[in-house]
């Protein structure tokens, strides 16, 4: 698949995201939830490595990431609102 084909696919996906904002927001929330779950798993695996410092910090971050990711997957509307609030505060 070439660059031009990838561009056409991204244009089509962008138009679909504009036409169906609710579906795109829910899918974005679920995608962030999956990313947070993977981040929590990686922090949880870093707790038992001997050459990594800050075991307690990694454990706390793992719990927060896992809880946030599970919450965004189980309750995607709350995840959309959370993302909107975080974006609004950061800007």
């Amino acid at each position: 698949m070439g660059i031009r084909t990838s561009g056409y696919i991204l244009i089509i996906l962008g138009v679909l995201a504009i036409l169906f904002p609710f579906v795109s927001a829910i899918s974005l929330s679920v995608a962030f939830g999956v990313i947070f779950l993977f981040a929590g798993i990686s922090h949880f695996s870093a707790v038992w490595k001997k050459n990594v410092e800050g075991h307690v910090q990694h454990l706390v971050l793992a719990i927060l990431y896992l809880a946030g990711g599970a919450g965004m997957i189980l309750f995607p509307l709350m995840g959309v609102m959370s993302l909107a609030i975080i974006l609004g505060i950061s800007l």
Side-chain angles (χ1 to χ4, degrees):
M1 183 161 60
I3 294 176
R4 184 172 292 188
T5 308
S6 299
Y8 290 144
I9 291 172
L10 288 176
I11 288 172
I12 291 170
L13 289 175
V15 169
L16 287 175
I18 291 171
L19 292 175
F20 304 107
F22 182 74
V23 175
S24 63
I26 297 296
S27 62
L28 180 70
S29 176
V30 172
F32 272 113
V34 170
I35 291 170
F36 286 160
L37 282 179
F38 280 121
I41 291 169
S42 68
H43 275 285
F44 198 67
S45 68
V47 171
W48 285 284
K49 290 187 178 182
K50 298 195 185 292
N51 58 355
V52 175
E53 294 185 15
H55 296 288
V56 176
Q57 289 88 354
H58 280 290
L59 183 63
V60 170
L61 279 175
I63 291 170
L64 289 174
Y65 275 130
L66 289 172
M72 290 183 86
I73 290 173
L74 295 175
F75 306 107
L77 286 177
M78 190 178 353
V80 169
M81 288 187 287
S82 305
L83 290 173
I85 290 170
I86 290 171
L87 183 65
I89 290 172
S90 66
L91 293 179

